[in-house]
Amino acid sequence: MVSAISNLDKSRRLLLHNDLAELERLAGWIDGWAQELVSPDTSFAIQLCLEEAVANIIMYGPAKDDRLEIAVELERSGSTVVARVEDTGRQFDPTRVPPPFQATSLEEAEVGDLGIHLMRSFASGMDYERRDCRNWLTLRFVGSEATSRQNAL
């Protein structure tokens, strides 16, 4: 279910189910929101971070037989985009995950476990809060320039 909060304040909210197939819907929703509001680089960063956050929630958030609720909200104010992810899954604070092991050779390198590191690298800021039995993750993307089409409007 997609619902626009307001076109004037450039924010939108998307409700998702705990199904990895929802990542495709999330990607299309982000593209639709971002195409006129931010640069392609910022759109890529937002998509990468939100897909990683939502995938982690779907794969690791629900307790057995839990119905997981996930809400994603995007808002642009000036040159900053704020992305919020709210879910009813198990408590998990990605801001407390230590940096990944730095391999010194290909033999030492391990595949995977870089998602939160990528989120930290692509977002300007990442905050977490546990409130009302929900996880609240806020990602900020500063310097999110509008595309030339938006500047022409």
Side-chain angles (χ1 to χ4, degrees):
M1 166 186 277
V2 178
S3 62
I5 293 174
S6 168
N7 215 11
L8 297 176
D9 67 4
K10 299 176 181 66
S11 67
R12 264 173 88 178
R13 184 175 175 90
L14 175 69
L15 301 177
L16 300 166
H17 304 287
N18 57 331
D19 181 346
L20 287 174
E22 290 280 71
L23 294 176
E24 186 175 334
R25 194 162 66 98
L26 174 65
W29 178 78
I30 294 167
D31 283 343
W33 179 87
Q35 69 183 345
E36 295 184 13
L37 297 175
V38 297
S39 70
D41 288 345
T42 300
S43 178
F44 175 81
I46 293 167
Q47 187 149 347
L48 183 143
C49 291
L50 289 179
E51 284 183 8
E52 182 61 34
V54 170
N56 283 343
I57 292 165
I58 291 169
M59 291 188 298
Y60 307 114
K64 187 176 181 177
D65 299 326
D66 266 355
R67 178 163 167 80
L68 188 62
E69 296 176 14
I70 306 166
V72 179
E73 185 175 323
L74 285 170
E75 179 179 7
R76 180 172 171 255
S77 178
S79 65
T80 301
V81 171
V82 177
R84 292 180 193 88
V85 182
E86 171 192 348
D87 72 87
T88 57
R90 292 185 189 127
Q91 183 171 353
F92 176 69
D93 182 353
T95 66
R96 302 193 95 165
V97 172
F101 169 74
Q102 297 289 323
T104 57
S105 69
L106 259 167
E107 290 79 28
E108 289 181 3
E110 294 183 21
V111 175
D113 293 330
L114 293 176
I116 293 172
H117 172 69
L118 288 172
M119 290 169 59
R120 286 183 180 134
S121 299
F122 278 86
S124 304
M126 184 167 70
D127 299 301
Y128 170 83
E129 177 179 10
R130 179 74 176 183
R131 177 171 27 110
D132 302 326
C133 298
R134 295 174 178 268
N135 297 300
W136 299 76
L137 179 65
T138 302
L139 300 161
R140 287 178 188 74
F141 303 87
V142 178
S144 306
E145 299 172 13
T147 63
S148 57
R149 181 175 179 185
Q150 177 65 21
N151 290 333
L153 295 178

